[in-house]
Amino acid sequence: MLRTFQEHAIRDVESLDGRWEFVTADDRADRAKLPKTYSRSIHVPSCWEQLPGLEEYRGQGWLRTTFESYGGKAVRLAFGGVSHTADVFVDGKPVGHHYDAFTPFEVVLPELSEGPHELVVQVDNSFGDHSALHIENDYYSYGGITRPVELQHVSPLHIANLFATPVRKGKMWSLEVRCVVRNVGRRVASGLVSVALGDELYELGEVKVAAGKTVDVVETLRKLDVEPWSMETPVLYPMTALLMDADGDLVDDLTDRIGFREVKVKGRKLLLNGESICLQGYNRHEDHPQFGCAFPVEAMVTDLELMRDLGCNFVRTCHYPNDMRFLDLCDEMGFAVWEESHARAVDFDHPKFNEQIEDSTREMVQWHFNRPSILIWGCLNECDSYSKPGRAVHKRVLQQLRDADGSRPVTFASNRGPHDISLDLVDIVSWNRYDGWYGGEPDSVEVEIKRALRWANTDASGAKGKPVMMSEFGAGGIYGHRSRNRAKWTEEYQAELLDEQLRVYLGRSEVVGVAIWQFCDVRLTRDWWGGRPRTMNNKGTVDEYRRPKLCYDTVKRRFTDARAKRG
Ligand code: ADA
C-alpha cells in the first residue's frame, strides 16, 4: 500500500504490487511501440538493478500487468514512484506521463469498460536532455516501479485531496481544512462533504461540481481540544473526509493522519508549538545495496530505529521527496523532517530544468502537505545561489514553496560561503561545510564557523538575525579500514572529525539544527564518482549494510549529551 495505514474504507482499493512481466530495450525482439513479448518478470515495487545482469542497466524497460474494471465507476491508478520517467498505457493507449522518481502521481480513467484490461508502464532511467534532475550524481538514479501501485474504483464525483493546517492559539487549536472534490463524470454532480476528526463529525457543506472540474470546500474547525504533536509526544489523529451524493448515499472517503503542531522561526530560534527546539540527526538517501531506492517498510524502520538509538530527532530527505510510508513512520516515531524538492547541484540552464523543478516542488507539497513531521521545506541543494540569474531561480522556487504552504519555514542548503547572494530569501540559513575533510584539519572547524557566523552577522550577507542550520558536515570512513595514523578514510579519522564538528556546532546558540552527512554509505553513478573509493559516498555513520562504524558511538555520545543538556 501507498501508506502505513488504510486511506479508504468506502472507496474500493486493491494493490497492484507483485509479479509483473518485464523486458528491457536490450532484450526486446521487436521495435513496436509496446513489446509484443516479455522475456522476464519483475517484482513491483523494486529496482531492476536488483536483477542479475541489470546491476548497471540504464535505459528503458517495459513492465506489464492486467487488472479488472468493474464498470460504472472511474478507475484511478496511483503510483508511489517510478524511477525516473513513466509513460503509462492502458490497453495500448497512452494515459499518463510522469517525470521524477520521487513524487507520486495518479492516472484517472473515467469510463473504462467492465472486464480485464492491460496496464503497461514504460520506464526510463536514462540521462540526457530529457532529464534535468536525474543526472550523473553523488547518488544513484535507479530504474523501475520503485514504490507501491494501487488500483482504485472511484465514483465519478470523488474526493481528490484533503489538506489540513493546524493553527495554535495558546493551548487551543483550530484546523483549516480544504477538501478538493473532483467530478470526472459527464454531467454536473452534487454532494455533501463532511470531515470526521476523532469522535466528532463536522459538516463542511454542499458541493456542486461541473463535469471535468474540481471544487474546493474550505472550513475552519475551531476550539479543538487536542494533544499537540511533538518529537517527544508524536500524537496523531485520523481525519476522514466523507462524500455523500445527492441521494444521501456515502460514495467516497479519504483518511489521512494529522498532528497538531505549529512550526515558526522567531528571531534566531526555531519554535515548535512555541518552544525553542534544536534538531539533531542525519541526511538520509533512499539507498540500499539490496533494495536500491525501493525500500520495504521494514528497512525504513531499521534506519529510523538506528537513528533513534543514535539520539536523533531529525532527518533531512537529501535531495528529494521521500516515500510517503517513510514520512508516515516519521510522523509515528517523532522525527522532524526537512524535505526538499529534487535537486543536487543541477544546471539551471538545462532545457527541462524550469518545468521539472516546478513539478517536483508542487507535487512534493501537494502529496506531503499534511505530514506533521515535515517542519521545513527545502530546495536547490548546492545550486547557483551566487549569481544574479541563480538568485532569481532561488527566489522563484522559494516563493513557490511559500505560496503552496505558508505554514512552514523554507530554506536551501548552500556551500557558497560568503559568495552567496541569496540568503536574504530564506527563513533559515543552511550551510553545508566540510572543514577538516575537503580541507584543513579538525581544529579548523571552530575557526571557520566563527568566521562564517561573523560574516552572517553583517547586513550584506542577508543572513543577519536568522537561525542557522548545519545542513551537512562529516567525513569519509571506509568500513573496516582502521589505523592509528589518523589517515583520511580511516574510521578513526572520521570519528575524530565528527566528534569535533558536533562539539562545535552543537555548542553554538545560533545553530538550531545539525544534519550529519550522512546516515549510510550510498552508491554513486559511475561517471560521477568524483574519485570516491568503491564508487560510493563513504561518509555514512553506518555502511551501506547498516553496519556501525567507529563514529557510531561518538555521534551517539554527542547527541545523547546534547539532549541531556537541553533537558
Ligand atoms: C555536498 C552534497 C552532498 C554530498 C556531499 C559530499 O554537500 O550536498 O550530496 O555530495 O557534498 O559527500 O561531499
Side-chain angles (χ1 to χ4, degrees):
M1 303 305 273
L2 290 167
R3 307 297 294 276
T4 61
F5 60 91
Q6 293 292 343
E7 294 180 280
H8 303 283
I10 292 165
R11 185 183 298 185
D12 185 279
V13 178
E14 65 182 272
S15 169
L16 291 183
D17 295 355
R19 300 300 298 172
W20 291 38
E21 293 176 275
F22 175 51
V23 66
T24 67
D26 296 352
D27 293 343
R28 281 195 58 177
D30 61 82
R31 285 281 166 260
K33 177 78 182 153
L34 295 178
K36 294 185 176 7
T37 57
Y38 290 78
S39 53
R40 51 171 95 196
S41 65
I42 191 170
H43 188 82
V44 166
S46 74
C47 302
W48 59 50
E49 288 81 0
Q50 314 317 315
L51 295 178
L54 297 183
E55 293 84 355
E56 299 248 24
Y57 179 65
R58 190 165 296 287
Q60 290 191 327
W62 289 263
L63 294 86
R64 179 185 183 277
T65 189
T66 57
F67 66 89
E68 287 285 327
S69 167
Y70 304 158
K73 288 225 170 184
V75 163
R76 177 176 182 261
L77 297 167
F79 295 85
V82 176
S83 187
H84 61 58
T85 297
D87 283 287
V88 183
F89 299 83
V90 168
D91 302 333
K93 295 188 193 66
V95 296
H97 172 83
H98 184 267
Y99 171 81
D100 202 345
F102 303 117
T103 44
F105 65 99
E106 62 178 357
V107 173
V108 180
L109 305 167
E111 295 172 352
L112 206 56
S113 60
E114 188 171 348
H117 294 276
E118 177 194 63
L119 168 61
V120 174
V121 181
Q122 174 182 302
V123 179
D124 183 358
N125 76 336
S126 64
F127 297 144
D129 283 351
H130 56 291
S131 175
L133 310 181
H134 283 279
I135 57 178
E136 294 289 356
N137 221 328
D138 200 11
Y139 59 97
Y140 199 83
S141 280
Y142 291 92
I145 300 178
T146 51
R147 294 178 185 169
V149 184
E150 284 184 0
L151 165 68
Q152 302 180 353
H153 283 82
V154 294
S155 60
L157 186 73
H158 60 272
I159 298 162
N161 300 95
L162 177 59
F163 301 109
T165 303
V167 178
R168 186 175 71 97
K169 288 197 173 33
K171 290 213 179 298
M172 289 309 279
W173 293 86
S174 58
L175 190 67
E176 295 171 354
V177 178
R178 178 162 68 93
C179 182
V180 181
V181 182
R182 176 164 57 195
N183 180 3
V184 295
R186 288 172 176 258
R187 283 176 295 283
V188 65
S190 303
L192 175 69
V193 179
S194 306
V195 162
L197 179 67
D199 302 333
E200 298 294 326
L201 184 65
Y202 302 87
E203 204 174 281
L204 264 59
E206 304 269 332
V207 64
K208 189 172 186 177
V209 190
K213 301 293 184 192
T214 62
V215 166
D216 289 11
V217 186
V218 178
E219 184 59 80
T220 298
L221 313 184
R222 301 183 188 285
K223 295 194 173 55
L224 302 174
D225 184 12
V226 292
E227 291 301 311
W229 185 95
S230 70
M231 288 81 88
E232 293 72 26
T233 56
V235 176
L236 294 172
Y237 290 86
M239 171 180 67
T240 299
L242 296 161
L243 178 64
M244 257 190 265
D245 66 12
D247 303 329
D249 297 329
L250 261 182
V251 293
D252 197 27
D253 67 338
L254 173 58
T255 293
D256 201 345
R257 289 182 323 191
I258 59 169
F260 288 86
R261 62 101 186 91
E262 171 200 73
V263 53
K264 284 191 182 314
V265 165
K266 188 174 179 187
R268 306 189 94 146
K269 294 298 175 195
L270 182 60
L271 303 183
L272 182 68
N273 305 332
E275 303 286 318
S276 172
I277 58 171
C278 182
L279 302 176
Q280 53 186 45
Y282 280 93
N283 286 274
R284 174 185 177 271
H285 268 300
E286 291 181 330
D287 192 273
H288 195 285
Q290 288 170 278
F291 312 116
C293 67
F295 269 68
V297 172
E298 295 77 4
M300 299 176 188
V301 170
T302 298
D303 286 2
L304 287 166
E305 289 294 358
L306 283 168
M307 282 191 245
R308 178 148 60 182
D309 180 61
L310 281 156
C312 303
N313 63 2
F314 173 51
V315 59
R316 176 185 173 207
T317 68
C318 61
H319 297 292
Y320 38 74
N322 270 205
D323 190 308
M324 290 191 282
R325 297 167 298 163
F326 182 77
L327 299 171
D328 288 338
L329 291 171
C330 290
D331 289 350
E332 293 166 22
M333 297 173 68
F335 280 84
V337 174
W338 156 338
E339 189 172 58
E340 57 192 33
S341 49
H342 184 193
R344 179 198 176 279
V346 293
D347 173 9
F348 290 170
D349 296 326
H350 186 290
K352 301 290 273 184
F353 169 76
N354 288 336
E355 167 198 341
Q356 292 177 347
I357 194 61
E358 181 171 350
D359 288 347
S360 173
T361 304
R362 182 185 65 256
E363 293 168 9
M364 172 179 74
V365 177
Q366 176 190 332
W367 287 86
H368 299 165
F369 187 91
N370 295 336
R371 305 278 57 74
S373 53
I374 298 176
L375 303 189
I376 299 168
W377 293 124
C379 61
L380 303 179
N381 176 76
E382 293 198 354
C383 293
D384 168 5
S385 58
Y386 54 85
S387 76
K388 285 206 168 40
R391 172 190 160 84
V393 175
H394 282 76
K395 185 169 185 174
R396 187 183 74 230
V397 178
L398 289 162
Q399 193 56 53
Q400 181 186 352
L401 284 170
R402 288 200 170 97
D403 292 345
D405 173 23
S407 73
R408 294 173 170 99
V410 297
T411 187
F412 68 87
S414 167
N415 65 336
R416 305 297 173 179
H419 307 293
D420 208 315
I421 62 168
S422 307
L423 296 181
D424 60 309
L425 302 171
V426 298
D427 298 310
I428 299 171
V429 172
S430 300
W431 284 329
N432 295 349
R433 294 195 67 92
Y434 288 90
D435 305 305
W437 179 252
Y438 289 125
E441 288 290 322
D443 60 8
S444 67
V445 173
E446 188 151 32
V447 170
E448 293 303 331
I449 196 63
K450 283 181 176 174
R451 188 197 315 269
L453 288 168
R454 271 196 304 276
W455 171 78
N457 216 19
T458 63
D459 295 333
S461 71
K464 189 170 184 178
K466 294 183 178 178
V468 172
M469 167 81 73
M470 298 310 296
S471 41
E472 285 184 34
F473 56 92
I478 307 285
Y479 180 81
H481 181 43
R482 304 291 299 276
S483 163
R484 292 186 177 187
N485 69 9
R486 297 175 61 252
K488 285 189 174 171
W489 300 116
T490 59
E491 290 191 24
E492 284 84 353
Y493 187 78
Q494 182 187 31
E496 178 191 348
L497 181 49
L498 267 172
D499 190 43
E500 177 62 2
Q501 289 164 332
L502 288 170
R503 181 192 70 81
V504 170
Y505 299 150
L506 288 169
R508 299 294 315 194
S509 61
E510 309 89 330
V511 172
V512 297
V514 298
I516 295 172
W517 186 275
Q518 63 177 322
F519 171 67
C520 65
D521 294 351
V522 302
R523 182 178 178 184
L524 320 179
T525 58
R526 178 180 291 277
D527 292 352
W528 188 93
W529 75 294
R532 300 195 193 296
R534 312 192 299 151
T535 313
M536 297 277 288
N537 186 306
N538 299 284
K539 297 188 183 71
T541 291
V542 297
D543 78 350
E544 60 272 29
Y545 293 98
R546 277 62 181 169
R547 298 178 297 185
K549 301 176 190 173
L550 204 57
C551 63
Y552 185 100
D553 292 330
T554 306
V555 171
K556 182 169 181 175
R557 176 171 45 77
R558 283 290 177 190
F559 277 172
T560 308
D561 290 355
R563 287 182 90 154
K565 253 187 225 141
R566 292 197 295 268

